[in-house]
Amino acid sequence: MSCCTFLSYSSGVSQKFRSVISCVLAEASKPNIPDYYPILRRLDPQGARRRMQKYYQMLIDVFDCIIEERVQRVDSIEGSDVLDSFLHITRKENSELTRHDVVHLFLDLFVAGLDTTSATVEWVITELLCNPEKLLKTKKELEQVLSQDEEPNDSDISKLTYLQAVVKETLRLHPTAPILVHKSMDDIDICGFKDFRVDDFGFIPFGSGRRMCPGVPLANRIVHSMLASMLYLFDWKVADDDEILALQERLAA
Ligand code: HEM
Protein backbone atom coordinates (compact mmCIF):
# COMPACT_ATOMS: atom_id res chain seq x y z
CA MET A 1 0.00 0.00 0.00
CA SER A 2 1.61 3.28 -1.06
CA CYS A 3 1.14 6.11 1.40
CA CYS A 4 1.71 8.87 -1.15
CA THR A 5 -1.76 8.25 -2.56
CA PHE A 6 -3.15 8.97 0.93
CA LEU A 7 -2.87 12.67 0.10
CA SER A 8 -5.55 12.51 -2.57
CA TYR A 9 -9.18 12.40 -1.38
CA SER A 10 -10.26 10.05 -4.15
CA SER A 11 -7.37 7.63 -3.72
CA GLY A 12 -8.11 4.07 -2.61
CA VAL A 13 -6.10 4.49 0.60
CA SER A 14 -7.86 7.66 1.76
CA GLN A 15 -11.30 6.22 0.98
CA LYS A 16 -10.39 3.04 2.84
CA PHE A 17 -9.04 5.09 5.75
CA ARG A 18 -12.27 7.09 5.91
CA SER A 19 -14.42 3.95 5.90
CA VAL A 20 -12.32 2.28 8.63
CA ILE A 21 -12.69 5.40 10.83
CA SER A 22 -16.48 5.24 10.30
CA CYS A 23 -16.45 1.54 11.28
CA VAL A 24 -14.47 2.37 14.46
CA LEU A 25 -16.99 5.03 15.44
CA ALA A 26 -20.00 2.85 14.61
CA GLU A 27 -18.51 0.04 16.69
CA ALA A 28 -17.67 2.37 19.59
CA SER A 29 -21.23 3.68 19.75
CA LYS A 30 -22.87 0.23 19.88
CA PRO A 31 -23.85 -1.15 23.31
CA ASN A 32 -21.40 -3.86 24.36
CA ILE A 33 -22.51 -6.29 27.06
CA PRO A 34 -19.00 -6.70 28.64
CA ASP A 35 -19.03 -2.94 29.42
CA TYR A 36 -21.78 -3.74 31.93
CA TYR A 37 -20.55 -7.22 32.92
CA PRO A 38 -16.72 -7.06 32.81
CA ILE A 39 -16.51 -10.76 33.67
CA LEU A 40 -17.53 -11.44 30.04
CA ARG A 41 -14.73 -9.30 28.60
CA ARG A 42 -12.47 -12.20 27.65
CA LEU A 43 -15.30 -14.00 25.89
CA ASP A 44 -16.06 -10.96 23.73
CA PRO A 45 -19.62 -12.29 23.10
CA GLN A 46 -20.53 -9.76 20.38
CA GLY A 47 -17.12 -9.84 18.68
CA ALA A 48 -16.72 -6.06 19.22
CA ARG A 49 -13.19 -6.35 20.55
CA ARG A 50 -12.03 -8.58 17.68
CA ARG A 51 -13.48 -6.18 15.08
CA MET A 52 -11.96 -3.14 16.82
CA GLN A 53 -8.54 -4.80 16.91
CA LYS A 54 -8.77 -5.45 13.17
CA TYR A 55 -9.79 -1.83 12.40
CA TYR A 56 -7.10 -0.36 14.64
CA GLN A 57 -4.46 -2.57 13.04
CA MET A 58 -5.52 -1.30 9.59
CA LEU A 59 -5.13 2.31 10.75
CA ILE A 60 -1.81 1.59 12.47
CA ASP A 61 -0.49 0.08 9.21
CA VAL A 62 -1.36 3.28 7.32
CA PHE A 63 0.32 5.54 9.91
CA ASP A 64 3.33 3.26 10.15
CA CYS A 65 3.74 3.43 6.40
CA ILE A 66 3.52 7.26 6.36
CA ILE A 67 6.01 7.52 9.23
CA GLU A 68 8.43 5.10 7.57
CA GLU A 69 8.35 7.21 4.40
CA ARG A 70 9.11 10.33 6.45
CA VAL A 71 11.92 8.64 8.37
CA GLN A 72 13.55 7.66 5.06
CA ARG A 73 13.32 11.22 3.71
CA VAL A 74 16.63 13.04 3.90
CA ASP A 75 15.09 16.52 3.60
CA SER A 76 12.89 16.19 6.71
CA ILE A 77 13.26 19.49 8.63
CA GLU A 78 12.50 19.89 12.35
CA GLY A 79 9.25 21.78 12.87
CA SER A 80 8.16 21.75 9.24
CA ASP A 81 5.04 19.90 10.33
CA VAL A 82 3.77 18.16 13.44
CA LEU A 83 5.03 14.73 12.36
CA ASP A 84 8.55 16.03 11.73
CA SER A 85 8.52 17.71 15.16
CA PHE A 86 7.51 14.48 16.89
CA LEU A 87 10.09 12.44 14.97
CA HIS A 88 12.83 14.87 15.98
CA ILE A 89 11.83 14.45 19.63
CA THR A 90 11.97 10.64 19.29
CA ARG A 91 15.54 10.90 17.94
CA LYS A 92 16.83 12.86 20.96
CA GLU A 93 18.94 11.04 23.49
CA ASN A 94 16.90 9.59 26.41
CA SER A 95 13.70 10.66 24.68
CA GLU A 96 10.60 9.33 26.43
CA LEU A 97 8.61 9.56 23.19
CA THR A 98 8.97 6.55 20.91
CA ARG A 99 7.89 5.99 17.32
CA HIS A 100 5.29 3.59 18.68
CA ASP A 101 3.85 6.45 20.82
CA VAL A 102 3.72 8.74 17.78
CA VAL A 103 1.72 6.17 15.78
CA HIS A 104 -0.78 5.80 18.62
CA LEU A 105 -0.98 9.55 19.18
CA PHE A 106 -1.94 10.07 15.53
CA LEU A 107 -4.40 7.20 15.81
CA ASP A 108 -6.13 9.00 18.71
CA LEU A 109 -6.18 12.35 16.94
CA PHE A 110 -7.58 10.96 13.68
CA VAL A 111 -10.22 8.74 15.28
CA ALA A 112 -11.35 11.58 17.57
CA GLY A 113 -11.05 14.43 15.07
CA LEU A 114 -12.19 13.21 11.67
CA ASP A 115 -15.84 12.18 11.83
CA THR A 116 -16.72 14.63 14.62
CA THR A 117 -15.63 17.49 12.37
CA SER A 118 -17.21 16.23 9.13
CA ALA A 119 -20.49 15.29 10.87
CA THR A 120 -20.69 18.81 12.36
CA VAL A 121 -20.18 20.39 8.92
CA GLU A 122 -22.84 18.09 7.42
CA TRP A 123 -25.32 18.99 10.17
CA VAL A 124 -24.75 22.73 9.73
CA ILE A 125 -25.43 22.48 5.98
CA THR A 126 -28.51 20.29 6.65
CA GLU A 127 -29.90 22.72 9.23
CA LEU A 128 -29.33 25.68 6.90
CA LEU A 129 -31.04 23.87 4.00
CA CYS A 130 -34.02 23.25 6.28
CA ASN A 131 -34.03 26.93 7.29
CA PRO A 132 -33.55 28.89 4.03
CA GLU A 133 -33.90 32.31 5.69
CA LYS A 134 -30.96 31.47 8.00
CA LEU A 135 -28.97 30.24 4.99
CA LEU A 136 -29.58 33.58 3.29
CA LYS A 137 -28.51 35.48 6.42
CA THR A 138 -25.31 33.42 6.67
CA LYS A 139 -24.47 34.07 3.02
CA LYS A 140 -25.18 37.80 3.43
CA GLU A 141 -22.78 37.97 6.35
CA LEU A 142 -20.10 36.25 4.28
CA GLU A 143 -20.60 38.70 1.41
CA GLN A 144 -20.37 41.66 3.81
CA VAL A 145 -17.26 40.42 5.61
CA LEU A 146 -15.30 39.23 2.61
CA SER A 147 -14.17 41.60 -0.05
CA GLN A 148 -15.14 40.65 -3.61
CA ASP A 149 -13.40 37.69 -5.29
CA GLU A 150 -11.57 36.92 -2.09
CA GLU A 151 -11.80 33.40 -0.68
CA PRO A 152 -12.42 33.02 3.08
CA ASN A 153 -9.37 32.45 5.27
CA ASP A 154 -8.78 31.75 8.97
CA SER A 155 -8.50 35.41 9.95
CA ASP A 156 -12.10 36.05 8.78
CA ILE A 157 -13.61 33.62 11.31
CA SER A 158 -13.69 36.09 14.23
CA LYS A 159 -15.72 38.52 12.07
CA LEU A 160 -18.29 35.88 11.08
CA THR A 161 -20.39 36.12 14.25
CA TYR A 162 -23.63 34.86 12.70
CA LEU A 163 -21.85 31.79 11.27
CA GLN A 164 -20.35 31.17 14.72
CA ALA A 165 -23.84 31.27 16.24
CA VAL A 166 -25.12 28.85 13.58
CA VAL A 167 -22.30 26.40 14.38
CA LYS A 168 -22.94 26.67 18.14
CA GLU A 169 -26.67 26.08 17.73
CA THR A 170 -25.99 23.09 15.45
CA LEU A 171 -23.55 21.60 17.98
CA ARG A 172 -26.19 22.09 20.68
CA LEU A 173 -28.85 20.33 18.59
CA HIS A 174 -26.59 17.61 17.14
CA PRO A 175 -23.61 16.94 19.43
CA THR A 176 -21.48 14.33 17.68
CA ALA A 177 -20.44 12.63 20.92
CA PRO A 178 -23.34 13.06 23.35
CA ILE A 179 -23.67 11.78 26.92
CA LEU A 180 -19.94 12.04 27.50
CA VAL A 181 -19.83 14.33 30.49
CA HIS A 182 -17.47 13.14 33.21
CA LYS A 183 -18.68 14.95 36.27
CA SER A 184 -17.18 14.66 39.74
CA MET A 185 -19.32 15.79 42.65
CA ASP A 186 -16.28 16.93 44.68
CA ASP A 187 -12.62 17.77 44.10
CA ILE A 188 -10.79 14.43 44.10
CA ASP A 189 -7.20 13.23 44.07
CA ILE A 190 -6.18 10.23 41.93
CA CYS A 191 -2.52 9.21 42.45
CA GLY A 192 -1.58 12.84 43.01
CA PHE A 193 -3.64 14.18 40.11
CA LYS A 194 -6.44 16.57 41.07
CA ASP A 195 -9.77 16.16 39.25
CA PHE A 196 -11.55 19.39 39.83
CA ARG A 197 -15.27 19.96 39.94
CA VAL A 198 -16.76 21.54 36.87
CA ASP A 199 -20.05 23.36 37.11
CA ASP A 200 -20.24 24.92 33.67
CA PHE A 201 -22.59 22.67 31.70
CA GLY A 202 -24.28 25.32 29.56
CA PHE A 203 -22.58 24.22 26.33
CA ILE A 204 -20.99 20.78 26.30
CA PRO A 205 -20.65 19.38 22.74
CA PHE A 206 -16.89 19.14 23.46
CA GLY A 207 -17.38 17.60 26.90
CA SER A 208 -16.34 19.35 30.07
CA GLY A 209 -13.58 19.24 32.66
CA ARG A 210 -10.19 17.62 32.33
CA ARG A 211 -11.27 15.00 29.80
CA MET A 212 -12.92 17.53 27.50
CA CYS A 213 -11.89 17.59 23.85
CA PRO A 214 -8.30 18.84 23.47
CA GLY A 215 -8.98 19.55 19.78
CA VAL A 216 -11.43 22.45 20.35
CA PRO A 217 -9.25 25.23 18.82
CA LEU A 218 -8.43 23.09 15.76
CA ALA A 219 -12.03 21.88 15.41
CA ASN A 220 -13.32 25.45 15.56
CA ARG A 221 -10.89 26.58 12.89
CA ILE A 222 -11.56 23.68 10.54
CA VAL A 223 -15.36 23.71 10.91
CA HIS A 224 -15.70 27.48 10.41
CA SER A 225 -13.26 27.73 7.50
CA MET A 226 -14.81 24.76 5.70
CA LEU A 227 -18.30 26.17 6.12
CA ALA A 228 -17.27 29.69 5.14
CA SER A 229 -15.73 28.36 1.90
CA MET A 230 -18.58 25.97 1.10
CA LEU A 231 -21.29 28.56 1.72
CA TYR A 232 -19.48 31.44 0.03
CA LEU A 233 -18.40 29.61 -3.10
CA PHE A 234 -21.53 27.55 -3.79
CA ASP A 235 -25.28 28.11 -3.87
CA TRP A 236 -27.02 25.48 -1.80
CA LYS A 237 -30.58 24.19 -2.21
CA VAL A 238 -32.47 20.95 -1.65
CA ALA A 239 -32.62 18.99 -4.89
CA ASP A 240 -36.07 18.09 -6.25
CA ASP A 241 -37.00 14.53 -7.32
CA ASP A 242 -36.04 15.06 -11.00
CA GLU A 243 -32.63 16.43 -10.05
CA ILE A 244 -31.97 13.51 -7.71
CA LEU A 245 -32.96 11.06 -10.46
CA ALA A 246 -30.68 12.79 -12.99
CA LEU A 247 -27.81 12.70 -10.49
CA GLN A 248 -28.35 9.02 -9.77
CA GLU A 249 -28.32 8.25 -13.50
CA ARG A 250 -25.12 10.26 -13.96
CA LEU A 251 -23.44 8.40 -11.10
CA ALA A 252 -24.59 5.03 -12.40
CA ALA A 253 -23.31 5.73 -15.96
C1 HEM B 1 -16.58 19.53 15.95
C2 HEM B 1 -15.57 18.73 16.22
C3 HEM B 1 -15.36 17.98 17.51
C4 HEM B 1 -16.25 17.66 18.50
C5 HEM B 1 -17.73 17.98 18.59
C6 HEM B 1 -15.51 16.93 19.53
C7 HEM B 1 -16.05 16.43 20.69
C8 HEM B 1 -15.36 15.68 21.61
C9 HEM B 1 -15.94 15.11 22.81
C10 HEM B 1 -17.38 15.26 23.27
C11 HEM B 1 -14.96 14.43 23.45
C12 HEM B 1 -15.08 13.63 24.75
C13 HEM B 1 -14.85 14.53 25.93
C14 HEM B 1 -15.09 13.80 27.22
O1 HEM B 1 -14.84 12.57 27.28
O2 HEM B 1 -15.54 14.44 28.17
C15 HEM B 1 -13.75 14.54 22.65
C16 HEM B 1 -12.55 13.96 22.97
C17 HEM B 1 -11.41 14.08 22.22
N1 HEM B 1 -11.23 14.86 21.09
FE1 HEM B 1 -12.68 15.92 20.17
N2 HEM B 1 -14.19 16.82 19.12
C18 HEM B 1 -14.06 17.45 17.91
C19 HEM B 1 -12.91 17.59 17.16
C20 HEM B 1 -11.66 17.13 17.54
C21 HEM B 1 -10.43 17.33 16.79
C22 HEM B 1 -10.31 18.13 15.47
C23 HEM B 1 -9.44 16.69 17.47
C24 HEM B 1 -7.95 16.59 17.18
C25 HEM B 1 -7.42 16.53 16.01
C26 HEM B 1 -10.04 16.08 18.64
C27 HEM B 1 -9.36 15.32 19.56
C28 HEM B 1 -9.93 14.71 20.66
C29 HEM B 1 -9.24 13.79 21.56
C30 HEM B 1 -7.77 13.34 21.42
C31 HEM B 1 -10.15 13.40 22.53
C32 HEM B 1 -9.93 12.43 23.69
C33 HEM B 1 -9.57 13.20 24.95
C34 HEM B 1 -9.46 12.24 26.15
O3 HEM B 1 -10.05 11.15 26.12
O4 HEM B 1 -8.81 12.61 27.11
N3 HEM B 1 -11.39 16.36 18.64
N4 HEM B 1 -14.02 15.31 21.54
Side-chain angles (χ1 to χ4, degrees):
M1 187 189 306
S2 164
C3 303
C4 303
T5 50
F6 186 65
L7 288 173
S8 150
Y9 177 75
S10 55
S11 79
V13 180
S14 43
Q15 287 303 321
K16 175 101 189 166
F17 187 82
R18 176 81 169 74
S19 81
V20 178
I21 297 264
S22 300
C23 292
V24 169
L25 293 173
E27 201 63 62
S29 38
K30 278 185 207 156
N32 189 29
I33 294 166
D35 291 343
Y36 304 96
Y37 303 100
I39 196 162
L40 298 174
R41 197 167 285 162
R42 290 180 70 175
L43 290 176
D44 190 21
Q46 292 158 263
R49 197 165 160 172
R50 283 191 297 278
R51 284 193 295 278
M52 268 306 208
Q53 272 171 347
K54 190 181 86 187
Y55 298 144
Y56 269 79
Q57 195 51 56
M58 285 160 107
L59 296 176
I60 287 171
D61 288 347
V62 173
F63 287 124
D64 228 9
C65 179
I66 294 171
I67 291 174
E68 183 54 33
E69 270 186 2
R70 191 65 69 89
V71 168
Q72 299 299 332
R73 251 174 55 180
V74 277
D75 57 347
S76 148
I77 300 164
E78 180 172 5
S80 61
D81 70 12
V82 72
L83 176 56
D84 274 331
S85 303
F86 280 134
L87 289 179
H88 274 85
I89 297 174
T90 62
R91 283 186 203 116
K92 283 186 185 150
E93 213 178 311
N94 300 327
S95 169
E96 287 185 19
L97 191 75
T98 62
R99 176 169 159 170
H100 179 264
D101 298 333
V102 177
V103 172
H104 285 267
L105 181 66
F106 276 99
L107 190 66
D108 268 359
L109 293 179
F110 272 77
V111 171
L114 211 68
D115 256 40
T116 41
T117 309
S118 64
T120 303
V121 170
E122 279 172 30
W123 272 119
V124 172
I125 298 283
T126 308
E127 282 294 344
L128 288 176
L129 284 172
C130 295
N131 296 278
E133 74 290 3
K134 309 276 188 314
L135 174 60
L136 205 69
K137 211 167 159 182
T138 315
K139 278 194 78 99
K140 275 220 171 92
E141 182 188 61
L142 280 162
E143 279 155 15
Q144 274 162 12
V145 167
L146 304 170
S147 43
Q148 269 196 338
D149 299 331
E150 183 200 348
E151 287 188 14
N153 61 52
D154 285 359
S155 61
D156 298 316
I157 296 171
S158 61
K159 292 175 243 158
L160 298 166
T161 49
Y162 190 74
L163 179 67
Q164 286 176 37
V166 169
V167 171
K168 277 212 181 82
E169 180 62 355
T170 306
L171 281 167
R172 190 182 69 81
L173 292 170
H174 311 283
T176 50
I179 331 175
L180 265 180
V181 181
H182 308 290
K183 183 178 181 352
S184 65
M185 305 304 288
D186 292 298
D187 286 351
I188 52 168
D189 188 307
I190 304 170
C191 304
F193 292 91
K194 299 244 179 280
D195 195 348
F196 52 87
R197 254 177 79 136
V198 182
D199 290 320
D200 180 9
F201 294 108
F203 181 71
I204 49 167
F206 294 101
S208 181
R210 283 217 168 170
R211 285 293 297 273
M212 83 174 280
C213 175
V216 179
L218 182 63
N220 270 329
R221 249 174 69 179
I222 299 172
V223 167
H224 288 91
S225 7
M226 275 174 79
L227 284 166
S229 303
M230 288 164 75
L231 293 165
Y232 186 64
L233 300 175
F234 302 103
D235 282 325
W236 293 81
K237 73 176 180 77
V238 180
D240 59 34
D241 289 351
D242 290 343
E243 286 167 323
I244 293 175
L245 210 68
L247 186 68
Q248 280 171 344
E249 279 168 10
R250 247 201 0 245
L251 289 174

